[in-house]
Amino acid sequence: MVAGVNGEQGMKPIEYYNKVFNLLEEHHRWFQQSIPLIASENISSPAVREAVASDFGNRYAEGFPKERVYAGCRYIDEVELLCMEMARELFKAEYADVRPVSGVNANIAVYTAFTQPNDVMMSLSIASGGHISFGKKQFSGTAGSVKNLEIEYFPFDYESMNIDVEATKAKIGERLKANQPLPRLVMFGGSVLPFPHPVKELTEFFHEHGATVCYDAAHVAGLIGGGQFQDPLQEGVDVMTISTHKTLFGPQGGAILSKANHQEALKKAVFPATVSNHHLHHVAGKAVAFAEMLEFGKDYARQVVENAQTIAKELYDRGFKVLGKKSGFTRSHVLIVDVSEIAYGSVIERLLEDSNIILNRNLLPYDIKFGRHYDTTGGIRIGVQECTRLGMKRDEMRQIAEFIERLVLKNEDKERIREEVVEFRKRFQKIHYAFETATEAYEYLKIRS
Ligand code: DSN
Protein backbone atom coordinates (compact mmCIF):
# COMPACT_ATOMS: atom_id res chain seq x y z
CA MET A 1 0.00 0.00 0.00
CA VAL A 2 1.10 3.54 -0.76
CA ALA A 3 0.17 6.67 1.22
CA GLY A 4 -2.36 8.86 -0.63
CA VAL A 5 -1.32 12.34 -1.75
CA ASN A 6 -4.71 13.82 -0.89
CA GLY A 7 -5.09 12.16 2.45
CA GLU A 8 -6.59 8.93 1.06
CA GLN A 9 -4.92 6.42 3.27
CA GLY A 10 -3.59 3.30 1.72
CA MET A 11 -4.80 3.34 -1.88
CA LYS A 12 -3.75 0.14 -3.55
CA PRO A 13 -1.66 0.42 -6.76
CA ILE A 14 -4.60 -0.84 -8.82
CA GLU A 15 -6.78 1.87 -7.26
CA TYR A 16 -4.27 4.56 -8.20
CA TYR A 17 -4.07 3.02 -11.65
CA ASN A 18 -7.83 3.05 -12.12
CA LYS A 19 -8.14 6.53 -10.69
CA VAL A 20 -5.72 7.92 -13.27
CA PHE A 21 -7.86 6.53 -16.09
CA ASN A 22 -11.06 7.78 -14.46
CA LEU A 23 -9.60 11.27 -14.26
CA LEU A 24 -8.45 11.15 -17.88
CA GLU A 25 -11.93 10.15 -19.03
CA GLU A 26 -13.52 12.87 -16.89
CA HIS A 27 -11.18 15.43 -18.43
CA HIS A 28 -12.26 14.34 -21.91
CA ARG A 29 -15.94 14.63 -20.95
CA TRP A 30 -15.38 18.09 -19.51
CA PHE A 31 -13.67 19.33 -22.66
CA GLN A 32 -16.45 17.81 -24.80
CA GLN A 33 -18.76 20.17 -22.94
CA SER A 34 -16.59 23.28 -22.77
CA ILE A 35 -15.60 26.24 -24.92
CA PRO A 36 -11.79 26.14 -25.25
CA LEU A 37 -10.36 29.66 -25.59
CA ILE A 38 -6.77 29.32 -24.33
CA ALA A 39 -4.61 30.97 -26.98
CA SER A 40 -1.75 28.47 -26.69
CA GLU A 41 -3.78 25.27 -27.08
CA ASN A 42 -5.47 23.35 -29.85
CA ILE A 43 -7.09 20.01 -30.47
CA SER A 44 -5.09 17.50 -32.48
CA SER A 45 -6.80 15.14 -34.89
CA PRO A 46 -7.31 11.44 -34.13
CA ALA A 47 -4.67 10.88 -36.85
CA VAL A 48 -2.08 12.89 -34.88
CA ARG A 49 -3.12 11.11 -31.69
CA GLU A 50 -2.66 7.74 -33.38
CA ALA A 51 0.87 8.66 -34.48
CA VAL A 52 1.70 9.85 -30.97
CA ALA A 53 0.49 6.56 -29.50
CA SER A 54 2.80 4.54 -31.78
CA ASP A 55 5.93 2.60 -30.76
CA PHE A 56 8.10 5.55 -31.83
CA GLY A 57 7.49 6.82 -28.29
CA ASN A 58 9.50 3.95 -26.86
CA ARG A 59 12.61 4.40 -29.03
CA TYR A 60 15.85 6.34 -29.04
CA ALA A 61 17.28 8.18 -32.05
CA GLU A 62 19.72 10.82 -30.86
CA GLY A 63 21.27 12.92 -33.60
CA PHE A 64 20.20 13.70 -37.14
CA PRO A 65 18.39 11.30 -39.52
CA LYS A 66 20.91 8.89 -41.08
CA GLU A 67 23.53 10.00 -38.51
CA ARG A 68 22.02 8.29 -35.44
CA VAL A 69 23.92 6.81 -32.57
CA TYR A 70 21.34 4.01 -32.18
CA ALA A 71 20.20 1.12 -34.35
CA GLY A 72 16.50 0.54 -35.02
CA CYS A 73 15.91 3.90 -36.69
CA ARG A 74 15.13 2.73 -40.25
CA TYR A 75 11.52 3.98 -40.25
CA ILE A 76 12.05 6.71 -37.70
CA ASP A 77 14.59 8.33 -40.04
CA GLU A 78 12.15 8.22 -42.96
CA VAL A 79 9.36 9.82 -40.94
CA GLU A 80 11.66 12.53 -39.59
CA LEU A 81 12.93 13.36 -43.08
CA LEU A 82 9.34 13.67 -44.32
CA CYS A 83 8.53 15.86 -41.34
CA MET A 84 11.49 18.15 -42.10
CA GLU A 85 10.56 18.33 -45.77
CA MET A 86 6.98 19.35 -44.99
CA ALA A 87 8.15 21.92 -42.43
CA ARG A 88 10.45 23.49 -45.04
CA GLU A 89 7.58 23.65 -47.52
CA LEU A 90 5.07 25.02 -45.04
CA PHE A 91 7.36 27.80 -43.84
CA LYS A 92 9.33 28.34 -47.09
CA ALA A 93 12.47 27.66 -45.08
CA GLU A 94 15.81 26.38 -46.27
CA TYR A 95 16.43 24.44 -43.05
CA ALA A 96 13.97 22.82 -40.65
CA ASP A 97 14.88 21.11 -37.40
CA VAL A 98 11.91 19.27 -35.91
CA ARG A 99 13.73 17.86 -32.89
CA PRO A 100 13.16 20.50 -30.18
CA VAL A 101 10.65 19.08 -27.73
CA SER A 102 9.05 22.45 -26.99
CA GLY A 103 9.09 26.10 -27.97
CA VAL A 104 11.29 26.94 -24.96
CA ASN A 105 13.67 24.15 -25.99
CA ALA A 106 13.82 25.64 -29.51
CA ASN A 107 14.58 29.09 -28.06
CA ILE A 108 17.34 27.67 -25.83
CA ALA A 109 18.90 26.07 -28.93
CA VAL A 110 18.83 29.48 -30.65
CA TYR A 111 20.47 31.13 -27.62
CA THR A 112 23.07 28.36 -27.72
CA ALA A 113 23.80 28.85 -31.42
CA PHE A 114 23.96 32.63 -31.49
CA THR A 115 24.99 34.00 -28.09
CA GLN A 116 27.69 33.83 -25.44
CA PRO A 117 27.03 34.26 -21.71
CA ASN A 118 26.55 37.92 -20.73
CA ASP A 119 25.56 38.96 -24.26
CA VAL A 120 22.64 41.34 -24.62
CA MET A 121 19.36 40.12 -26.11
CA MET A 122 16.50 42.41 -27.09
CA SER A 123 12.96 41.08 -26.65
CA LEU A 124 9.53 42.01 -25.35
CA SER A 125 8.83 42.06 -21.63
CA ILE A 126 6.30 39.49 -20.48
CA ALA A 127 3.71 42.18 -19.74
CA SER A 128 4.04 43.41 -23.33
CA GLY A 129 3.61 39.92 -24.76
CA GLY A 130 7.06 38.38 -24.40
CA HIS A 131 7.46 34.76 -23.39
CA ILE A 132 9.03 33.61 -20.11
CA SER A 133 11.84 32.10 -22.16
CA PHE A 134 12.93 35.67 -23.06
CA GLY A 135 13.07 36.59 -19.38
CA LYS A 136 15.68 38.16 -17.12
CA LYS A 137 17.64 36.17 -14.55
CA GLN A 138 16.19 38.18 -11.66
CA PHE A 139 12.71 36.90 -12.62
CA SER A 140 13.96 33.34 -13.28
CA GLY A 141 13.37 33.84 -17.01
CA THR A 142 15.00 31.26 -19.25
CA ALA A 143 17.39 33.50 -21.23
CA GLY A 144 18.78 35.06 -18.05
CA SER A 145 18.86 31.89 -15.98
CA VAL A 146 20.17 29.42 -18.56
CA LYS A 147 22.48 31.54 -20.70
CA ASN A 148 23.08 34.50 -18.40
CA LEU A 149 21.89 36.86 -21.12
CA GLU A 150 21.28 40.48 -20.26
CA ILE A 151 17.81 41.43 -21.47
CA GLU A 152 17.00 44.80 -22.99
CA TYR A 153 13.27 45.27 -23.57
CA PHE A 154 11.77 46.57 -26.78
CA PRO A 155 9.92 49.85 -26.20
CA PHE A 156 6.22 49.04 -26.56
CA ASP A 157 3.33 51.25 -27.63
CA TYR A 158 0.21 50.38 -25.60
CA GLU A 159 -2.22 51.93 -28.02
CA SER A 160 -1.10 50.11 -31.13
CA MET A 161 -0.14 47.05 -29.02
CA ASN A 162 3.13 46.83 -30.88
CA ILE A 163 6.87 47.46 -30.77
CA ASP A 164 7.71 51.16 -31.14
CA VAL A 165 10.11 51.31 -34.09
CA GLU A 166 11.54 54.79 -33.57
CA ALA A 167 11.93 54.34 -29.81
CA THR A 168 13.73 51.03 -30.47
CA LYS A 169 16.20 52.70 -32.81
CA ALA A 170 16.69 55.48 -30.26
CA LYS A 171 17.37 52.94 -27.51
CA ILE A 172 20.07 51.27 -29.60
CA GLY A 173 21.48 54.74 -30.41
CA GLU A 174 21.69 55.52 -26.68
CA ARG A 175 23.53 52.26 -26.00
CA LEU A 176 25.96 53.10 -28.78
CA LYS A 177 26.55 56.59 -27.41
CA ALA A 178 27.08 55.25 -23.90
CA ASN A 179 29.48 52.62 -25.27
CA GLN A 180 27.29 49.81 -23.96
CA PRO A 181 27.21 46.43 -25.69
CA LEU A 182 24.57 46.10 -28.41
CA PRO A 183 22.17 43.16 -28.68
CA ARG A 184 23.79 40.06 -30.17
CA LEU A 185 20.38 38.48 -30.58
CA VAL A 186 16.96 40.02 -31.19
CA MET A 187 13.78 38.06 -30.48
CA PHE A 188 10.63 39.25 -32.18
CA GLY A 189 7.35 37.48 -31.49
CA GLY A 190 6.09 36.07 -28.20
CA SER A 191 2.99 34.94 -26.36
CA VAL A 192 0.62 37.80 -27.11
CA LEU A 193 0.88 38.70 -30.75
CA PRO A 194 -2.32 40.30 -32.04
CA PHE A 195 -0.46 42.31 -34.68
CA PRO A 196 2.52 41.64 -36.96
CA HIS A 197 5.76 42.90 -35.49
CA PRO A 198 7.81 45.51 -37.39
CA VAL A 199 10.24 42.92 -38.73
CA LYS A 200 10.73 44.62 -42.11
CA GLU A 201 11.30 47.97 -40.44
CA LEU A 202 13.92 46.76 -37.96
CA THR A 203 15.71 43.64 -39.20
CA GLU A 204 18.16 45.40 -41.50
CA PHE A 205 18.83 47.95 -38.77
CA PHE A 206 19.69 45.17 -36.30
CA HIS A 207 21.79 43.32 -38.87
CA GLU A 208 23.78 46.51 -39.49
CA HIS A 209 24.45 46.60 -35.75
CA GLY A 210 25.72 43.03 -35.66
CA ALA A 211 22.72 41.13 -34.28
CA THR A 212 21.20 37.83 -35.32
CA VAL A 213 17.45 38.21 -35.63
CA CYS A 214 15.01 35.51 -34.50
CA TYR A 215 11.22 35.45 -34.48
CA ASP A 216 9.40 33.37 -31.87
CA ALA A 217 6.35 32.26 -33.85
CA ALA A 218 5.16 29.77 -31.23
CA HIS A 219 1.71 31.33 -31.23
CA VAL A 220 1.26 32.29 -34.86
CA ALA A 221 2.98 29.41 -36.70
CA GLY A 222 -0.32 28.01 -38.00
CA LEU A 223 -1.30 31.43 -39.32
CA ILE A 224 2.08 31.86 -41.01
CA GLY A 225 1.80 28.36 -42.52
CA GLY A 226 -1.73 29.24 -43.65
CA GLY A 227 -0.55 32.48 -45.26
CA GLN A 228 -2.55 34.77 -42.96
CA PHE A 229 0.12 36.48 -40.91
CA GLN A 230 3.47 38.13 -41.54
CA ASP A 231 6.08 35.73 -42.91
CA PRO A 232 9.16 36.48 -40.79
CA LEU A 233 11.67 34.42 -42.81
CA GLN A 234 10.63 36.13 -46.04
CA GLU A 235 10.75 39.48 -44.22
CA GLY A 236 14.41 38.90 -43.41
CA VAL A 237 14.86 37.22 -40.02
CA ASP A 238 17.65 34.67 -39.75
CA VAL A 239 15.76 32.09 -37.75
CA MET A 240 12.25 31.35 -36.52
CA THR A 241 11.18 29.12 -33.62
CA ILE A 242 7.72 27.60 -33.36
CA SER A 243 5.49 25.52 -31.15
CA THR A 244 3.69 22.79 -33.03
CA HIS A 245 0.44 22.82 -31.05
CA LYS A 246 -0.95 26.33 -30.67
CA THR A 247 -2.28 27.55 -33.99
CA LEU A 248 -0.66 24.50 -35.61
CA PHE A 249 -2.43 21.15 -35.29
CA GLY A 250 -0.32 19.53 -32.60
CA PRO A 251 1.12 17.49 -30.93
CA GLN A 252 2.96 19.50 -28.27
CA GLY A 253 6.51 20.25 -29.36
CA GLY A 254 8.81 22.75 -31.01
CA ALA A 255 10.80 23.27 -34.20
CA ILE A 256 13.33 25.67 -35.71
CA LEU A 257 13.26 27.08 -39.24
CA SER A 258 16.09 29.06 -40.78
CA LYS A 259 18.15 30.10 -43.74
CA ALA A 260 20.62 27.45 -44.94
CA ASN A 261 23.68 29.31 -43.68
CA HIS A 262 22.64 28.71 -40.07
CA GLN A 263 22.04 24.98 -40.50
CA GLU A 264 25.31 23.72 -39.00
CA ALA A 265 25.19 25.99 -35.95
CA LEU A 266 21.57 25.09 -35.22
CA LYS A 267 22.03 21.40 -35.85
CA LYS A 268 24.74 21.19 -33.16
CA ALA A 269 22.87 23.54 -30.85
CA VAL A 270 19.98 21.07 -30.88
CA PHE A 271 22.03 17.88 -30.61
CA PRO A 272 24.14 17.34 -28.61
CA ALA A 273 23.86 20.73 -26.92
CA THR A 274 20.25 20.93 -25.77
CA VAL A 275 18.30 17.76 -26.71
CA SER A 276 19.30 14.14 -26.29
CA ASN A 277 16.46 11.98 -27.51
CA HIS A 278 13.78 14.03 -29.17
CA HIS A 279 10.40 12.38 -28.48
CA LEU A 280 10.08 10.46 -31.73
CA HIS A 281 6.36 9.82 -31.37
CA HIS A 282 5.90 13.57 -31.39
CA VAL A 283 8.00 13.85 -34.56
CA ALA A 284 5.52 11.40 -36.14
CA GLY A 285 2.64 13.52 -34.84
CA LYS A 286 4.26 16.69 -36.16
CA ALA A 287 4.60 15.06 -39.60
CA VAL A 288 0.88 14.23 -39.69
CA ALA A 289 -0.01 17.72 -38.42
CA PHE A 290 2.17 19.38 -41.10
CA ALA A 291 0.45 17.31 -43.80
CA GLU A 292 -2.94 18.49 -42.47
CA MET A 293 -1.72 22.07 -42.41
CA LEU A 294 -0.37 21.92 -45.97
CA GLU A 295 -3.76 20.68 -47.17
CA PHE A 296 -6.18 22.67 -45.01
CA GLY A 297 -4.07 25.49 -43.54
CA LYS A 298 -5.21 28.33 -45.78
CA ASP A 299 -8.93 27.90 -45.10
CA TYR A 300 -8.36 27.27 -41.42
CA ALA A 301 -6.08 30.26 -40.88
CA ARG A 302 -8.45 32.59 -42.76
CA GLN A 303 -11.33 31.45 -40.55
CA VAL A 304 -9.24 31.81 -37.37
CA VAL A 305 -8.46 35.46 -38.10
CA GLU A 306 -12.06 36.19 -39.09
CA ASN A 307 -13.31 34.55 -35.90
CA ALA A 308 -10.87 36.49 -33.72
CA GLN A 309 -11.91 39.78 -35.30
CA THR A 310 -15.57 38.89 -34.92
CA ILE A 311 -15.41 38.00 -31.23
CA ALA A 312 -13.22 41.04 -30.51
CA LYS A 313 -15.76 43.40 -32.06
CA GLU A 314 -18.68 41.60 -30.42
CA LEU A 315 -17.06 41.92 -26.99
CA TYR A 316 -16.19 45.55 -27.62
CA ASP A 317 -19.75 46.37 -28.74
CA ARG A 318 -21.07 44.72 -25.58
CA GLY A 319 -18.94 47.00 -23.38
CA PHE A 320 -15.63 45.17 -22.93
CA LYS A 321 -12.37 47.07 -23.23
CA VAL A 322 -10.64 45.07 -25.96
CA LEU A 323 -7.11 46.34 -26.55
CA GLY A 324 -5.76 47.37 -29.96
CA LYS A 325 -8.99 49.07 -31.12
CA LYS A 326 -7.06 51.54 -33.25
CA SER A 327 -5.70 48.66 -35.35
CA GLY A 328 -8.89 46.57 -35.45
CA PHE A 329 -8.28 44.59 -32.20
CA THR A 330 -6.37 41.72 -33.81
CA ARG A 331 -4.96 40.27 -37.00
CA SER A 332 -4.16 36.89 -35.47
CA HIS A 333 -5.96 34.31 -33.31
CA VAL A 334 -5.63 36.25 -30.07
CA LEU A 335 -7.15 39.26 -28.34
CA ILE A 336 -6.57 40.87 -24.98
CA VAL A 337 -9.37 42.30 -22.86
CA ASP A 338 -8.73 44.79 -20.05
CA VAL A 339 -11.05 43.69 -17.22
CA SER A 340 -9.27 45.72 -14.54
CA GLU A 341 -12.34 47.86 -13.80
CA ILE A 342 -14.42 44.71 -13.18
CA ALA A 343 -12.16 42.28 -11.31
CA TYR A 344 -8.75 40.67 -11.47
CA GLY A 345 -8.20 38.53 -14.56
CA SER A 346 -7.82 35.52 -12.25
CA VAL A 347 -11.32 36.10 -10.81
CA ILE A 348 -12.84 36.32 -14.29
CA GLU A 349 -10.87 33.24 -15.34
CA ARG A 350 -12.41 31.20 -12.50
CA LEU A 351 -15.89 32.60 -13.04
CA LEU A 352 -15.82 31.59 -16.69
CA GLU A 353 -14.30 28.19 -15.90
CA ASP A 354 -17.24 27.45 -13.60
CA SER A 355 -19.45 27.85 -16.68
CA ASN A 356 -17.18 25.69 -18.85
CA ILE A 357 -15.58 28.60 -20.70
CA ILE A 358 -11.85 27.99 -20.50
CA LEU A 359 -9.42 30.89 -20.99
CA ASN A 360 -6.60 32.44 -19.03
CA ARG A 361 -5.72 35.62 -17.24
CA ASN A 362 -3.04 37.76 -18.85
CA LEU A 363 -0.89 40.70 -17.87
CA LEU A 364 -1.70 43.94 -19.66
CA PRO A 365 1.25 45.94 -21.00
CA TYR A 366 0.66 48.55 -18.28
CA ASP A 367 -0.11 46.16 -15.38
CA ILE A 368 3.34 46.37 -13.76
CA LYS A 369 3.00 50.16 -13.59
CA PHE A 370 -0.17 49.66 -11.57
CA GLY A 371 1.44 47.11 -9.25
CA ARG A 372 -0.43 44.14 -10.70
CA HIS A 373 1.28 40.79 -11.24
CA TYR A 374 0.55 37.38 -12.72
CA ASP A 375 -2.09 36.53 -10.13
CA THR A 376 -3.72 39.95 -10.08
CA THR A 377 -3.63 40.70 -13.79
CA GLY A 378 -5.82 43.36 -15.29
CA GLY A 379 -6.49 41.29 -18.37
CA ILE A 380 -7.74 38.09 -19.89
CA ARG A 381 -6.53 36.51 -23.14
CA ILE A 382 -8.79 34.86 -25.68
CA GLY A 383 -7.69 32.62 -28.56
CA VAL A 384 -10.15 31.21 -31.09
CA GLN A 385 -8.01 28.65 -32.95
CA GLU A 386 -9.37 25.57 -31.14
CA CYS A 387 -13.01 26.65 -31.54
CA THR A 388 -12.26 27.26 -35.23
CA ARG A 389 -10.93 23.72 -35.57
CA LEU A 390 -14.24 22.55 -34.12
CA GLY A 391 -16.01 24.27 -37.01
CA MET A 392 -17.19 27.45 -35.27
CA LYS A 393 -17.72 30.58 -37.31
CA ARG A 394 -19.23 34.06 -37.03
CA ASP A 395 -22.53 33.09 -35.32
CA GLU A 396 -20.74 31.00 -32.72
CA MET A 397 -18.32 33.85 -31.97
CA ARG A 398 -21.36 36.07 -31.31
CA GLN A 399 -22.84 33.40 -29.05
CA ILE A 400 -19.62 33.03 -27.05
CA ALA A 401 -19.33 36.81 -26.64
CA GLU A 402 -22.90 36.80 -25.35
CA PHE A 403 -22.12 34.06 -22.80
CA ILE A 404 -19.13 36.08 -21.55
CA GLU A 405 -21.19 39.28 -21.38
CA ARG A 406 -23.99 37.62 -19.41
CA LEU A 407 -21.53 36.12 -16.94
CA VAL A 408 -19.12 38.98 -16.47
CA LEU A 409 -21.18 42.12 -17.08
CA LYS A 410 -24.72 41.00 -16.25
CA ASN A 411 -23.86 38.64 -13.37
CA GLU A 412 -26.25 35.98 -14.60
CA ASP A 413 -26.38 32.64 -12.85
CA LYS A 414 -23.27 30.69 -13.76
CA GLU A 415 -24.93 27.28 -13.47
CA ARG A 416 -27.59 28.30 -15.97
CA ILE A 417 -24.95 29.55 -18.39
CA ARG A 418 -22.97 26.33 -17.91
CA GLU A 419 -26.02 24.33 -18.96
CA GLU A 420 -26.42 26.52 -22.05
CA VAL A 421 -22.73 26.08 -22.89
CA VAL A 422 -23.08 22.30 -22.66
CA GLU A 423 -26.08 22.43 -24.99
CA PHE A 424 -24.28 24.78 -27.42
CA ARG A 425 -21.23 22.48 -27.56
CA LYS A 426 -23.27 19.46 -28.61
CA ARG A 427 -23.24 20.73 -32.20
CA PHE A 428 -19.42 20.95 -32.31
CA GLN A 429 -18.00 17.54 -31.59
CA LYS A 430 -16.19 16.88 -34.85
CA ILE A 431 -12.78 18.05 -35.88
CA HIS A 432 -12.48 20.13 -39.06
CA TYR A 433 -9.57 20.81 -41.40
CA ALA A 434 -8.42 17.17 -41.23
CA PHE A 435 -8.25 14.24 -43.68
CA GLU A 436 -10.33 11.98 -41.44
CA THR A 437 -13.13 13.35 -39.33
CA ALA A 438 -15.19 10.37 -38.21
CA THR A 439 -13.79 10.10 -34.68
CA GLU A 440 -15.03 12.82 -32.37
CA ALA A 441 -12.61 15.56 -31.43
CA TYR A 442 -12.40 14.84 -27.71
CA GLU A 443 -13.26 11.15 -27.82
CA TYR A 444 -11.27 9.19 -25.27
CA LEU A 445 -9.33 6.71 -27.39
CA LYS A 446 -9.01 3.53 -25.38
CA ILE A 447 -6.23 1.10 -26.25
CA ARG A 448 -6.61 -1.10 -23.16
CA SER A 449 -8.96 -4.01 -23.67
N1 DSN B 1 3.37 31.10 -22.49
C1 DSN B 1 2.45 30.05 -22.83
C2 DSN B 1 1.23 30.63 -23.42
O1 DSN B 1 1.33 31.50 -24.26
O2 DSN B 1 0.16 30.19 -23.02
C3 DSN B 1 3.03 29.09 -23.75
O3 DSN B 1 4.31 28.71 -23.39
Side-chain angles (χ1 to χ4, degrees):
M1 295 230 197
V2 191
V5 276
N6 294 321
E8 317 95 323
Q9 276 311 303
M11 272 175 78
K12 292 181 188 149
I14 188 65
E15 290 168 342
Y16 280 112
Y17 177 90
N18 287 331
K19 184 151 190 182
V20 169
F21 286 111
N22 290 343
L23 290 168
L24 287 170
E25 291 195 43
E26 270 182 47
H27 171 87
H28 276 250
R29 265 194 298 281
W30 187 30
F31 270 72
Q32 273 165 348
Q33 301 180 340
S34 298
I35 298 174
L37 294 173
I38 290 185
S40 50
E41 297 179 350
N42 215 324
I43 180 81
S44 54
S45 65
V48 168
R49 290 166 67 197
E50 181 177 319
V52 169
S54 71
D55 181 64
F56 274 26
N58 302 315
R59 303 298 144 208
Y60 259 76
E62 289 177 352
F64 213 63
K66 311 284 185 195
E67 299 170 15
R68 308 295 194 190
V69 291
Y70 291 87
C73 298
R74 184 181 301 160
Y75 301 105
I76 291 166
D77 278 4
E78 295 306 319
V79 170
E80 189 163 325
L81 287 168
L82 289 175
C83 189
M84 291 160 68
E85 187 178 324
M86 286 187 280
R88 288 195 301 269
E89 186 178 339
L90 194 54
F91 297 108
K92 299 183 217 75
E94 290 164 351
Y95 175 64
D97 198 317
V98 296
R99 296 174 296 173
V101 297
S102 70
V104 170
N105 186 195
N107 283 348
I108 292 173
V110 167
Y111 305 158
T112 303
F114 300 114
T115 66
Q116 296 299 323
N118 304 314
D119 276 351
V120 177
M121 177 173 98
M122 190 163 224
S123 58
L124 279 178
S125 70
I126 292 172
S128 299
H131 187 253
I132 48 167
S133 59
F134 307 166
K136 296 185 180 191
K137 191 172 194 166
Q138 73 212 72
F139 304 130
S140 304
T142 310
S145 306
V146 172
K147 197 71 202 261
N148 217 24
L149 297 181
E150 183 195 321
I151 309 301
E152 178 75 270
Y153 293 140
F154 273 119
F156 193 77
D157 177 49
Y158 302 160
E159 214 185 324
S160 62
M161 284 293 282
N162 214 329
I163 292 166
D164 184 327
V165 173
E166 291 316 313
T168 299
K169 288 183 178 173
K171 202 168 197 181
I172 298 297
E174 278 161 29
R175 285 191 82 100
L176 256 176
K177 224 187 281 167
N179 222 4
Q180 290 172 319
L182 299 183
R184 295 287 304 156
L185 179 65
V186 173
M187 289 294 276
F188 285 108
S191 285
V192 176
L193 201 46
F195 302 107
H197 276 169
V199 171
K200 275 192 202 140
E201 293 82 345
L202 284 170
T203 295
E204 203 179 316
F205 171 80
F206 281 120
H207 280 159
E208 280 165 8
H209 288 87
T212 301
V213 179
C214 179
Y215 188 108
D216 180 335
H219 268 261
V220 290
L223 306 180
I224 295 170
Q228 292 295 314
F229 204 68
Q230 72 183 139
D231 193 336
L233 285 171
Q234 312 317 310
E235 290 180 17
V237 305
D238 302 286
V239 56
M240 178 167 90
T241 54
I242 63 170
S243 291
T244 47
H245 53 273
K246 293 178 165 70
T247 49
L248 282 174
F249 292 157
Q252 294 197 336
I256 304 175
L257 296 311
S258 79
K259 308 254 167 72
N261 56 332
H262 297 304
Q263 170 164 339
E264 281 314 306
L266 287 167
K267 197 175 150 187
K268 289 196 199 97
V270 172
F271 178 85
T274 57
V275 182
S276 63
N277 195 38
H278 53 281
H279 302 186
L280 310 170
H281 52 324
H282 282 204
V283 170
K286 289 171 189 176
V288 175
F290 290 154
E292 292 174 338
M293 185 56 63
L294 283 168
E295 181 73 16
F296 305 104
K298 278 199 173 59
D299 290 344
Y300 156 79
R302 197 179 306 115
Q303 191 64 52
V304 168
V305 176
E306 192 183 315
N307 283 351
Q309 290 174 341
T310 302
I311 198 169
K313 179 152 190 329
E314 285 288 328
L315 287 168
Y316 182 82
D317 289 347
R318 289 162 198 271
F320 284 98
K321 195 171 165 194
V322 185
L323 300 192
K325 177 172 186 288
K326 195 173 124 188
S327 317
F329 305 115
T330 183
R331 284 169 60 191
S332 72
H333 63 302
V334 72
L335 45 136
I336 294 288
V337 185
D338 178 342
V339 292
S340 60
E341 286 170 15
I342 308 166
Y344 289 141
S346 49
V347 173
I348 305 287
E349 177 189 291
R350 281 194 293 274
L351 172 72
L352 292 168
E353 188 190 55
D354 286 344
S355 294
N356 285 12
I357 298 173
I358 316 281
L359 49 68
N360 72 314
R361 75 194 85 153
N362 211 92
L363 282 169
L364 302 170
Y366 38 85
D367 267 354
I368 305 298
K369 214 168 61 184
F370 289 107
R372 295 190 286 254
H373 59 78
Y374 75 96
D375 210 24
T376 58
T377 67
I380 54 171
R381 184 179 68 163
I382 295 177
V384 298
Q385 66 293 338
E386 188 165 346
C387 285
T388 306
R389 194 123 201 252
L390 292 172
M392 295 188 197
K393 295 191 169 150
R394 180 172 291 271
D395 288 349
E396 288 73 42
M397 294 301 113
R398 276 202 201 106
Q399 178 61 72
I400 295 170
E402 189 197 304
F403 284 141
I404 295 174
E405 177 196 16
R406 287 167 57 201
L407 272 164
V408 177
L409 298 183
K410 297 187 170 165
N411 298 316
E412 283 193 31
D413 178 53
K414 57 187 183 182
E415 181 49 28
R416 202 171 81 211
I417 307 262
R418 194 192 66 79
E419 285 165 12
E420 287 184 40
V421 166
V422 171
E423 195 53 37
F424 164 79
R425 274 291 273 110
K426 284 186 180 156
R427 290 186 289 124
F428 299 96
Q429 292 300 329
K430 294 282 183 190
I431 201 145
H432 291 244
Y433 312 102
F435 291 106
E436 289 161 282
T437 56
T439 311
E440 291 199 346
Y442 300 86
E443 194 171 320
Y444 182 75
L445 301 180
K446 195 169 174 185
I447 299 178
R448 293 171 301 143
S449 52

